[in-house]
Amino acid sequence: TNTGDDTYIPETTTYDTSAFKEIKGTDIATESKNETIVVMIGRQSCGFCAQFAPVLEQVSKNHGVTARYIDLAKILDFTTGSQNVTISDNDSYNAIVNLSGSGDYKTFAKDNFGYTPVTMIIKNNKVIAGASGNMTAENLEALFKTGGLSK
């Protein structure tokens, strides 16, 4: 049930990522070299990701952008229990947490790693805009604008 605030969790926590291009953290540098990219970090068991993915899909489509998707469960091993999460892909982990950014986003990737969903707008391997958590289409449009992705 939607209570009108951020506590709403959809009944299903799986969602369709087929509209996104799935990449690894190690692909960010290459992917963002000649274009500004939008990256969502999520995982299938995340209710907020399930709620946010269709919003990202629609806003990206409106801007003619293919969002990239990184599955956090392919970087961190959650099967060991919440107190013992281990890194299963060190290269992707390091590539993401070592991303630098400009201004308010200088340490955004490192500060928000492990949360889902996290959305970053990246150009030349630098975070130029980002947000952690579920967003409305209006807020995502504002983030796209901050990242230079105006319609």
Side-chain angles (χ1 to χ4, degrees):
T1 316
N2 190 341
T3 60
D5 61 19
D6 279 343
T7 58
Y8 171 65
I9 305 285
E11 283 72 28
T12 176
T13 55
T14 59
Y15 55 97
D16 183 9
T17 60
S18 63
F20 308 133
K21 177 182 181 183
E22 188 166 349
I23 65 170
K24 292 181 173 196
T26 52
D27 297 326
I28 291 173
T30 307
E31 292 277 325
S32 69
K33 191 172 189 163
N34 297 313
E35 66 178 303
T36 301
I37 64 169
V38 177
V39 176
M40 173 188 169
I41 300 176
R43 68 183 182 130
Q44 286 298 320
S45 60
C46 168
F48 290 117
C49 297
Q51 195 177 10
F52 177 65
V55 174
L56 178 61
E57 180 180 347
Q58 189 58 54
V59 172
S60 295
K61 190 176 177 182
N62 292 348
H63 286 268
V65 170
T66 299
R68 273 60 167 190
Y69 178 79
I70 295 176
D71 186 345
L72 187 64
K74 292 182 179 177
I75 300 172
L76 299 179
D77 181 0
F78 293 95
T79 62
T80 54
S82 61
Q83 300 303 312
N84 300 310
V85 174
T86 57
I87 299 169
S88 53
D89 182 346
N90 280 306
D91 293 338
S92 284
Y93 170 81
N94 287 326
I96 294 169
V97 298
N98 290 321
L99 277 173
S100 62
S102 52
D104 293 341
Y105 303 103
K106 189 173 182 74
T107 59
F108 181 85
K110 182 179 181 181
D111 295 344
N112 289 280
F113 187 83
Y115 296 110
T116 54
V118 169
T119 308
M120 295 183 287
I121 299 178
I122 302 170
K123 184 175 185 177
N124 295 321
N125 211 32
K126 301 254 187 265
V127 179
I128 56 175
S132 181
N134 188 16
M135 281 182 280
T136 63
E138 183 178 81
N139 289 343
L140 186 57
E141 288 281 357
L143 186 68
F144 271 48
K145 189 174 181 180
T146 300
L149 296 171
S150 300
K151 281 196 260 186

